[in-house]
Structures are given as structure tokens and as C-alpha cells.
């Protein structure tokens, strides 16, 4: 009972974190599912978004500009990976890893050589995050503001992406992820399509990092580690719940739901006394389990079929012997 | 409509896998020509079509389509002048997208793609009208994913996608080879009808000599990356399969032993 009560108490935080991290998962969805590229840049972009905001807000920037600047830098990171992959023909995974690696140094530069920067909430160094400003404007508590912001952003992003991928340009990006030969034959530049997709995706990831750092009130050079796996976990959880046959709009929304459920799962295991140090391991196991279930189910089905088939002949042989 | 001048291409030059694919191809295609291309495996038939569509840069020579020099134009730029249907029915369409979305992408071949909605209402009516004559029931399934269609239906759709914006030249690369005989005949008849109806200029690679003779107004035979026989008009109309076999024996100096080419 006590556990249930503390879960309920933690639910609003899990939901708002889920929504904000969901923006990152949407970025992963665009590259991994729509473009069929495993974009490892994400780990670097997420941390960069957080570091940019932490560093600039702490030094007195308006948090709105900081966040916009973080988005732009994220898009630039996507552009770099896109050029490495399409123009310099570096395999997509390696191109992403290279950008991610270089962003680590960039993040340290942004943080002025420190490994993290805080945005203090009290005292004379108090700075205001975007969420502080919104809370003041709406007259709501921090918790409520986080949830409202998350919901509004999620709805806007789902609608916006649904619109974009329905346009002439967006259709061609989707087609590029499905069949490049067809896109080329129909006069589409597949390189440009991939670059656009990577730019948009990393813009979202950076925005997500920027908001997460404003919620936790610090940016850390290591905050991006494993981001892509968390993104994949969210997508997979969404697919398990909503299936893969539903409309594009629902699939986009399912990524946010998946992200929220992921956060709820994390909150529950932490409340159960799980060591937070092992969270990344847990996430990886979760993704491995989700990805391997259909394969294992296939093996079992196949073995059953073989056994049933063989049994039929064994019976025939015994009959003949008798 | 299409001019090829002394086009040469060698793949993997300087390595152990060096392959001379095209050795000085000269070909002038007039507007309204429907050329069938035959030849043994590795003769360079598909390579020639891929070269025309710009899938790889040529070593030397000139490629002109519709009066424009496209020799150095990348594949996606010259695509505005070219309609293509591939041997693999999966290759010409995006399986995970609707029929109407595929058609809409083809409808905008060679045009600027904006942020307007991808499929308009008027278009939908047009697609229904265009799909109806195929008699495959596709006109009522515009919002069906292409991956649910059969190979023949996908090839029919690809054919429509290749011609919905009238191309300067239509390239058909053994586009019925992966289909069962009955469907293949149907798709081939559709192809012929479309070409006649829109007065298209087309090049069709085939392994079937009977089809090569039956369709088109001109026939070329390729061997070792060269055009070794080029016949058109009445002479072409009077051709028999045995003539082609004889021609092949004369030029190779050996018995015709490729079963695939004999399939009729």
C-alpha cells in the first residue's frame, strides 16, 4: 500500500519526464524508423543541448534564446553526421559515432572545462529556466508547469510531424527510408532527404536535452550516455502497446506514451530499491528483451512445427511395423 | 530522343574483377521508337539501361536525352526525363506507403517538391481513372499499402508511375521476368498499350525472343558490351526466332546454348 502511494506520488514527475524525454525518442523515431538509419549522434546531441542551456542560462542568457540556440546547434550536429554519411560515404553508424565523440569535446568547451554546470534555484546566483518563467506566467507549481509544457509540446510535435511527413517533401523522405532506388528513379535526391531527416531529428534531441537539463537544473557532459537506447526502448514500448499497424499519427503519439511508460517503469524499480547505478543495464536488457521476443517466438514455433511433422512419420512407421 | 555516342564503361578497372561492360555503344533512338533488346547473360543489356539512367558515371562517350547532354548529370536529376521499370517488382515502389502516395511521388517527378500536402483530392480522382483500365481493382484500393499487392500488381503500378509524367524515354529492364507467364503476358500487353496510347519512346530488355519480335518497331542484339545487330521496320516485322538464333551463331561462332534465351 505504501509502495502504491509513493508510486502515485511520483507519477506526475514520471509523466512530465516521459513527455520531455519523448521529444528525444521522436528524434530517434525519425532516423531509426522513418529513415532506417541508426543515428548514434543522438547521445552527443542530447548532452550538447543540456550543456548549452546550462552554460548559457547560468551566465545570464534568456532561457528561451538558450533553448532555441540549443536546437540550432543540435540541427548542425545532424547536418555534420548527414554530410559524413552521404557525401563522404562513411557508414551511418560510424558517422554518428564520430560526431558523438567530437561533441564530447565540444560539450567540455561549452562548459568551460568543467564536467557540469548547475542552474541554481536559490540565493543570489538564482537563474530562471524556461519552466520557471512559464510557472510564473501561468501561476502554477513547478510540477504542473512541467506536465503542461510536456503535453503541449508533445501535441504540437505530433501534429507538426504528421503534417510534415504528409507533404510532398515529407513523403519523399519517408520513401527514402523504404526504397532508395524508387526515390532516385522518381527524381528525388536521397542524400538531401537523409540530411534533412538527420537535421530535424537532432534538433528534437537537442531540444529534449535542453528541457531535461532545465528540469534537473544542471547540464552534465555525461548526461547523453545511452540516450539512443532509451529512445529505442520508448519506441518499442509504444509499439508493444499500440502495435505497428496503426496510422502514422498514432505511431508518433505512441512514442510519447512509450517514453512515459518507460519513466514509470524506472520510477517503480527505483522505489523497489533498485540500485540507480544499474539503470542503464536494465534499459539495455529491456530493449534486448523486446527485440528478441519475436525472434524467440519464431524459434519456438519452428521447433513445434518440426516436432509435429516428425511425429506424423513416426506414427506411420510404427503402424507399418505392427 | 536518345543519342549514345561511343559510350564505354569498365567496372573495377585494374583489379582482378575487371569487367568490360560497354565497349563503344552507338545508338540513336528516334521519337516514338519502341526498341527491344536481346542478348546473352552479361551482354550489357541492363548495364546499358542503367548507364542511360545515370546509375554510374561512364568512362567515355556522350549521352543525350531529348536534345540535352546528360552525360555528367546525376541519376536523380536526369530522372525527370526518364521513366523506369525494374526487373524486381519490389524495386519500383515504396512498399510501406499507400498506392496513392506512390503515385503522388511519381506525379511530381522532375518538379520541385514543396511543403504542400502530398496527395490532393483532384489527383485521387485522376489516379482512379488511370488505374481503372488495368482491371486489377487497384482503383478502389488507393489507400492500401503497396506491400500487400502481388508482384504483377506492383509492376503494373510501377509502369503507371513511370509514365504518369510523360518521360522522354521509358526504360524497361526485363520488367516481366519475375512474374508468372500469365501475369507477364498481361503486364506486357499493358506496356504495349501504354506506349502506343501516349506515343512513348521506349527501350525494353527481354530474354524472350518471341516477345522481342512481337513488340516494338526495332530490335537490337547485344554481345560483350557491343550492339551486334540492329534491325527495324519491315525487316524486323518479318523476323523469326530461328533468324535470331542463326544471327547469334554467326556472330559468336558457336552453338546457341543459353536456355534462358530460348524460353518462349
Amino acid at each position: 500500500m505504501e509502495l502504491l502511494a509513493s508510486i502515485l506520488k511520483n507519477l506526475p514527475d514520471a509523466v512530465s519526464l516521459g513527455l520531455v524525454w519523448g521529444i528525444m525518442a521522436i528524434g530517434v523515431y525519425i532516423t531509426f524508423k522513418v529513415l532506417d538509419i541508426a543515428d548514434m549522434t543522438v547521445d552527443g546531441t542530447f548532452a550538447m543541448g543540456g550543456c548549452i542551456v546550462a552554460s548559457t542560462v547560468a551566465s545570464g542568457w534568456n532561457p528561451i534564446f538558450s533553448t532555441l540556440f540549443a536546437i540550432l546547434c543540435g540541427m548542425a550536429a545532424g547536418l555534420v553526421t548527414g554530410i559524413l554519411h552521404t557525401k563522404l560515404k562513411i557508414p551511418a553508424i560510424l558517422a554518428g559515432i564520430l560526431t558523438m565523440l567530437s561533441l564530447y569535446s565540444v560539450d567540455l568547451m561549452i562548459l568551460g572545462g568543467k564536467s557540469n554546470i548547475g542552474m541554481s534555484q536559490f540565493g543570489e546566483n538564482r537563474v530562471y529556466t524556461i519552466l520557471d518563467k512559464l510557472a510564473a506566467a501561468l501561476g502554477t507549481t513547478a510540477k504542473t508547469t512541467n506536465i503542461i509544457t510536456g503535453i503541449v509540446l508533445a501535441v504540437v510535435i505530433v501534429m507538426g510531424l504528421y503534417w510534415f511527413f504528409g507533404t510532398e517533401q515529407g513523403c519523399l523522405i519517408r520513401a527514402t527510408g523504404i526504397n532508395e532506388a524508387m526515390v532516385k528513379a522518381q527524381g528525388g535526391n536521397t542524400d538531401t532527404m537523409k540530411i534533412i531527416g538527420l537535421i530535424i531529428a537532432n534538433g528534437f534531441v537537442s531540444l529534449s536535452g535542453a528541457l531535461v537539463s532545465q528540469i534537473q537544473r544542471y547540464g552534465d557532459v555525461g548526461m547523453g550516455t545511452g540516450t539512443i537506447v532509451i529512445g529505442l526502448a520508448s519506441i518499442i514500448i509504444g509499439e508493444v502497446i499500440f502495435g505497428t499497424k496503426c496510422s502514422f499519427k498514432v505511431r508518433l503519439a505512441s512514442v510519447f506514451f512509450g517514453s512515459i511508460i518507460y519513466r514509470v517503469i524506472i520510477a517503480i524499480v527505483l522505489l523497489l530499491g533498485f540500485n540507480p547505478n544499474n539503470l542503464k543495464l536494465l534499459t539495455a536488457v529491456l530493449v534486448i528483451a523486446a527485440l528478441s521476443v519475436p525472434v524467440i517466438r519464431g524459434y519456438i514455433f519452428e521447433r513445434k512445427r518440426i516436432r509435429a511433422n516428425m511425429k506424423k512419420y513416426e506414427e506411420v512407421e510404427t503402424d507399418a511395423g505392427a | 530522343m536518345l543519342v549514345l555516342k561511343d559510350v564505354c564503361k569498365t567496372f573495377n578497372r585494374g583489379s582482378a574483377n575487371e569487367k568490360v561492360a560497354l565497349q563503344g555503344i552507338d545508338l540513336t533512338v528516334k521519337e516514338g521508337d519502341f526498341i527491344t533488346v536481346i542478348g546473352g547473360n552479361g551482354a550489357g543489356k541492363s548495364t546499358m539501361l542503367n548507364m542511360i539512367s545515370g546509375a554510374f558515371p561512364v568512362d567515355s562517350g556522350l549521352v543525350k536525352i531529348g536534345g540535352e547532354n546528360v552525360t555528367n548529370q546525376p541519376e536523380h536529376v536526369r530522372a525527370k526525363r526518364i521513366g523506369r521499370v525494374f526487373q524486381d517488382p519490389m524495386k519500383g515502389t515504396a512498399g510501406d506507403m499507400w498506392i496513392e502516395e506512390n503515385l503522388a511521388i511519381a506525379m511530381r517527378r522532375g518538379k520541385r517538391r514543396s511543403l504542400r500536402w502530398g496527395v490532393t483530392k483532384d489527383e485521387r480522382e485522376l489516379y482512379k481513372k488511370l488505374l481503372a483500365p488495368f482491371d486489377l481493382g487497384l482503383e478502389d484500393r488507393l489507400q492500401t499499402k503497396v506491400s500487400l499487392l502481388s508482384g504483377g500488381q506492383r509492376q503494373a503500378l510501377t509502369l503507371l508511375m513511370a509514365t504518369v509524367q510523360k518521360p522522354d524515354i521509358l526504360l524497361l529492364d526485363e520488367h516481366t521476368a519475375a512474374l508468372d507467364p500469365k501475369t507477364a503476358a498481361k503486364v506486357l500487353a499493358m506496356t504495349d498499350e501504354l506506349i502506343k496510347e501516349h506515343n512513348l519512346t521506349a527501350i525494353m530488355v527481354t530474354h524472350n525472343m518471341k516477345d522481342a519480335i512481337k513488340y516494338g518497331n526495332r530490335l537490337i542484339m547485344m554481345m560483350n558490351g557491343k550492339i551486334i545487330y540492329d534491325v527495324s521496320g519491315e525487316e524486323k516485322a518479318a523476323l523469326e526466332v530461328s533468324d535470331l538464333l542463326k544471327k547469334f551463331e554467326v556472330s559468336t561462332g558457336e552453338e546457341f546454348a543459353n536456355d534462358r534465351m530460348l524460353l518462349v
Side-chain angles (χ1 to χ4, degrees), chain A residues 22 162 305 316:
Chain A
Y162 177 71
R305 193 189 58 75
V316 171

Side-chain angles (χ1 to χ4, degrees), chain B residues 161-190:
Chain B
M161 286 168 64
T163 52
V164 67
Q165 280 290 337
K166 190 179 173 182
D168 285 350
I169 188 147
L170 176 64
L171 304 177
L172 308 161
D173 189 359
E174 288 190 58
H175 68 305
T176 58
L179 308 175
D180 65 83
K182 210 173 146 194
T183 317
K186 199 171 168 189
V187 170
L188 212 50
M190 279 177 203

Side-chain angles (χ1 to χ4, degrees), chain A residues 26-49:
Chain A
I26 277 285
V28 175
Y29 184 87
I30 293 173
T31 46
F32 193 72
K33 285 285 174 181
V34 178
L35 276 179
D36 200 18
I37 291 175
D39 176 29
M40 301 289 295
T41 323
V42 168
D43 282 23
T45 321
F46 187 82
M48 182 178 67

Side-chain angles (χ1 to χ4, degrees), chain A residues 180-199:
Chain A
E180 282 192 48
M182 174 265 199
V183 173
K184 282 183 193 159
Q186 298 301 342
N189 188 339
T190 49
D191 286 358
T192 311
M193 295 307 124
K194 287 182 196 169
I195 292 176
I196 294 176
L198 284 165
I199 289 178

Side-chain angles (χ1 to χ4, degrees), chain B residues 7-77:
Chain B
V7 178
C8 297
K9 178 70 186 180
T10 303
F11 289 108
N12 306 317
R13 189 181 288 278
S15 81
N17 296 324
E18 184 170 296
K19 164 97 179 107
V20 181
L22 300 173
Q23 318 189 46
I25 298 280
D26 279 299
L27 184 70
T28 303
V29 183
K30 289 197 291 283
E31 186 166 2
D33 268 355
F34 178 6
I35 301 180
T36 54
V37 185
I38 54 168
N41 290 330
K45 311 178 298 292
S46 292
T47 311
M48 182 173 77
L49 291 203
N50 288 336
M51 174 265 290
I52 296 170
S53 54
F56 51 80
V58 297
D59 295 339
S60 62
L62 179 76
V63 184
K64 276 172 98 174
I65 305 176
E68 189 188 4
N69 180 357
V70 299
T71 316
N72 299 313
Q73 243 177 32
E75 192 176 2
H76 68 271
V77 177

Side-chain angles (χ1 to χ4, degrees), chain A residues 44-59 69-70 73-74 102-117 206 219 221:
Chain A
T45 321
F46 187 82
M48 182 178 67
C51 291
I52 287 176
V53 162
S55 162
T56 54
V57 167
S59 69
F69 184 59
C73 292
S102 22
L103 285 181
Y104 191 84
S105 298
V106 173
D107 292 346
L108 283 173
M109 275 185 248
I110 294 168
L111 295 179
K114 283 178 277 189
S115 66
N116 58 60
I117 284 183
S206 188
V221 73

